[in-house]
Amino acid sequence: MTDTHPLPPVAPEVTAALVAALSPRLRRRLDAATAKLAARPVSRDGDTYRVTVDEETTLEVHAPGGSVTAVDDIRCGCLLAPGCVHRPAAAGAAPVARPEPAADAGDAVPSDEPPEEPPPSEAPATPRQRAAAAELWAAGAAALEAGVDGAGAVTQAELLAAAHAARLAGLPRPAAAAVSVVGRLRAARAADPAYRLADLTEALRELLATSHGIATATGPRLAELRGTARRPYLPGGSLRLYGLFSEPVLAGSGHAGVVTWAADADGRLFRVPDVAPGGAERAAAAVERTVRLGDAALTHRELSRAGLVVSGATVSPDGRLGAGAAVRAVQAGGAGWHEPPLDRLWAEPPHRQAERALAAAALPEDRRPPGAELLFLDLTCRRPLRAAGGDVLLADCAGLPIHLAAADEDPALAHRDNLRLLATAPGLRLRVVGRLVPGPEPRLRLLAAGRPPGEAGQALRLAEPRAHVDLGYDRLQRTDLPEPAAAAPPGVAPAADEAAHAPLHLLRRRTDRAVAAGRRALALPGTVGDDRARLRRAGLATGAGLIEELHRAAADRGRDVFGRLLPADADRFARAWLAAALYTESVAHALCAAAWAAPTADTGAVSA
């Protein structure tokens, strides 16, 4: 039989072991074999997945418990098995398995030995942790030097092997970053519509920053770099929750699904996720899946507009509601965005919300307050902008110009189409939820939209006054826009130069280019002198020095006694790239805080 089932996730150590066992000749063929196998149909019979490699060869993948945790779970019927290229190719074509939390337990660590205990609070990292961090650094530096096109299955397997060793050594944060890099590399090489170069750059920066700092860190800083392997669920008592919105989840790790956000009477945010291995199709359909929480019998779409009464609740630090056997939950009435208690989320001034989001972005992911990156704003649509990286809609929020972008560009989701439709209605007033994007100008990724309180004219025409639109799921129609809809101004206004006064993009485009094309892309002659001068004139002297060192590290190669070029210093290049990436992030956050600052009395509204 034929089917469209994706392959089950494969544990990092399994992929690493299969690739390590290949001969050098087969390693050279691995990328082509992985691409070929990924295009073959997959059938499923219980926990067994079958892939027809050719007319004579069938490959079986056994996933007891939902994921592949042993090398022998992948079997091939070809004559070269078990030393064939098909088994590691199957592992490379499958998502990477991540430790997932049980309902009220911490993350399980799939390993063949227990993870190392954390050292005392003021002690430095253990020798085992330093060795694992060094291995992660070397693997990340190799991936950076190769770029997306060069970071094939072998490079990815080295990252996964280092991630497994780091997890066993008690370094879950850098281990998770390495797995994230692999997932985003695979998305980039497969031309996945959901892939963003900025996401891969961020993941690689996280990997190199954490693995580099572990060798010398102590105390709270070391604990922060190590991260936490378990997500504790603490008693939350009785909760009365009101649904806010649902958003699709399409992760570079090969996981997809939905997260529904809710708030209690005090404005605290909680989330109910349903994320599992899959792609855009699963993300697009997950909103209709039933919420697995106590006795609740409603879908995520229904929960985003209704409410819950939960007793015996358990809550993780990131706001995730546990679904243990002792948890009881029943459906209750919801509230509109303009009604108590949800309306309090929009009462906080925009610049205060941005400060809170930026402060949370500086923390490790497992220590961020739940929903801290979300902003709740009332704004007026103005006009579309032409900008790199996708469609942008200019909006006005109490005199503050804000750039609105789609939360995800995947065509299977509704984000992009909805943003384009909203851009055809200048003057449209919206109450929105968005995710802050740090940068020189105020920018949000739109997640949900509704009617501002008291609006009956230039507002969305929704079936119910209390309704809202989940922009990743609900596809707007022209009839949902106010009539008569104002015509958009002729042409598309160009976006303002994001670095007219602080040309930070000169550094960002080089760090991004290195990730995309590798070290050699920066070793070519370019306009370093002009860019260095522009950075100095803008007061970014440190950035000017970093951009010069980055190009030197990429281009400098010594020679041996016979005059032959030696290999480039990948470690030096990785250090130069990391310094530039961290500096870019730090300055971007400072510029973002300044851009979101409260408008002064003489600041006019955005011109339509």
Side-chain angles (χ1 to χ4, degrees), residues 137-472:
W137 170 268
L144 175 64
E145 181 177 20
V148 169
D149 290 340
V154 174
T155 301
Q156 294 169 23
E158 292 172 351
L159 279 165
L160 294 177
H164 179 59
R167 187 175 291 114
L168 294 180
L171 302 176
R173 181 181 173 187
V179 172
S180 180
V181 169
V182 172
R184 299 187 190 286
L185 282 173
R186 291 180 178 178
R189 293 172 61 87
D192 189 330
Y195 164 73
R196 284 197 185 100
L197 177 58
D199 294 338
L200 176 55
T201 301
E202 181 181 355
L204 193 55
R205 183 183 66 231
E206 165 78 358
L207 168 61
L208 293 177
T210 52
S211 58
H212 182 269
I214 284 171
T216 57
T218 60
R221 177 57 178 164
L222 177 58
E224 179 181 307
L225 292 174
R226 285 198 314 258
T228 55
R230 298 182 178 274
R231 183 184 293 113
Y233 281 78
L234 303 176
S238 298
L239 299 174
R240 174 65 168 95
L241 302 178
Y242 300 84
L244 263 174
F245 70 98
S246 295
E247 64 168 319
V249 175
L250 193 53
S253 62
H255 291 69
V258 61
V259 169
T260 297
W261 290 88
D264 67 4
D266 296 324
R268 294 183 302 167
L269 297 182
F270 300 83
R271 57 189 183 131
V272 181
D274 185 341
V275 180
E281 295 77 9
R282 188 184 194 282
V287 73
E288 302 298 345
R289 294 176 64 89
T290 301
V291 171
R292 298 180 178 178
L293 191 67
D295 301 321
L298 68 168
T299 66
H300 282 268
R301 186 188 297 277
E302 293 169 339
L303 176 58
S304 70
R305 293 158 173 81
L308 281 178
V309 175
V310 186
S311 62
T314 56
V315 186
S316 70
D318 62 357
R320 184 183 306 227
L321 292 175
V327 177
R328 296 290 182 266
V330 295
Q331 182 176 348
W337 285 2
H338 58 282
E339 299 173 338
L342 298 184
D343 58 347
R344 66 186 299 165
L345 297 172
W346 280 265
E348 186 179 12
H351 69 282
R352 296 294 185 193
Q353 296 189 51
E355 290 174 0
R356 174 245 302 156
L358 286 171
L363 298 174
E365 188 173 352
D366 59 350
R367 297 190 181 184
R368 297 173 187 171
E373 76 283 5
L374 300 179
L375 270 62
F376 304 86
L377 305 176
D378 291 323
L379 46 80
T380 303
C381 298
R382 292 307 184 191
R383 63 179 185 269
L385 297 176
R386 182 181 297 115
D391 299 304
V392 174
L393 170 60
L394 179 66
D396 171 20
C397 178
L400 182 69
I402 297 180
H403 292 193
L404 305 178
D408 200 295
E409 294 286 342
D410 196 292
L413 305 175
H415 291 293
R416 185 176 59 182
D417 293 340
N418 284 335
L419 183 70
R420 289 175 176 174
L421 187 60
L422 293 174
T424 66
L428 176 66
R429 296 201 58 205
L430 295 171
R431 170 161 279 194
V432 304
V433 183
R435 184 167 279 110
L436 178 73
V437 180
E441 77 284 333
R443 180 180 290 257
L444 284 183
R445 296 200 184 278
L446 275 185
L447 299 172
R451 297 164 59 101
E455 281 292 330
Q458 292 296 312
L460 291 175
R461 308 179 78 180
L462 303 177
E464 298 181 9
R466 302 170 67 188
H468 69 268
V469 178
D470 293 328
L471 293 174

Side-chain angles (χ1 to χ4, degrees), residues 104 137 251 265 333 389 419 454 496 520 536:
D104 279 7
W137 170 268
L419 183 70
R520 291 179 179 83
R536 290 189 183 279

Side-chain angles (χ1 to χ4, degrees), residues 484-528:
V492 178
D497 183 359
E498 73 169 26
H501 302 291
L504 194 62
H505 68 289
L506 299 177
L507 262 173
R508 181 182 292 112
R509 73 185 183 189
R510 280 173 168 77
T511 55
D512 287 349
R513 187 180 182 189
V515 173
R519 177 193 56 80
R520 291 179 179 83
L522 299 188
L524 302 174
T527 58
V528 180

Side-chain angles (χ1 to χ4, degrees), residues 30-107:
L30 181 55
D31 287 336
T34 301
K36 179 180 178 181
L37 193 141
R40 304 297 297 170
V42 180
S43 63
R44 180 179 180 180
D45 182 10
D47 291 335
T48 300
Y49 299 73
R50 293 184 176 86
V51 184
T52 302
V53 180
D54 52 40
E55 295 181 355
E56 300 178 351
T57 304
T58 299
L59 184 141
E60 291 188 351
V61 179
H62 297 274
S67 62
V68 178
T69 58
V71 170
D72 293 338
D73 287 341
I74 303 179
R75 307 169 188 172
C76 184
C78 73
L79 295 177
L80 294 178
C84 63
V85 74
H86 303 130
R87 298 170 70 220
V96 181
R98 291 192 177 193
E100 292 295 337
D104 279 7
D107 288 346

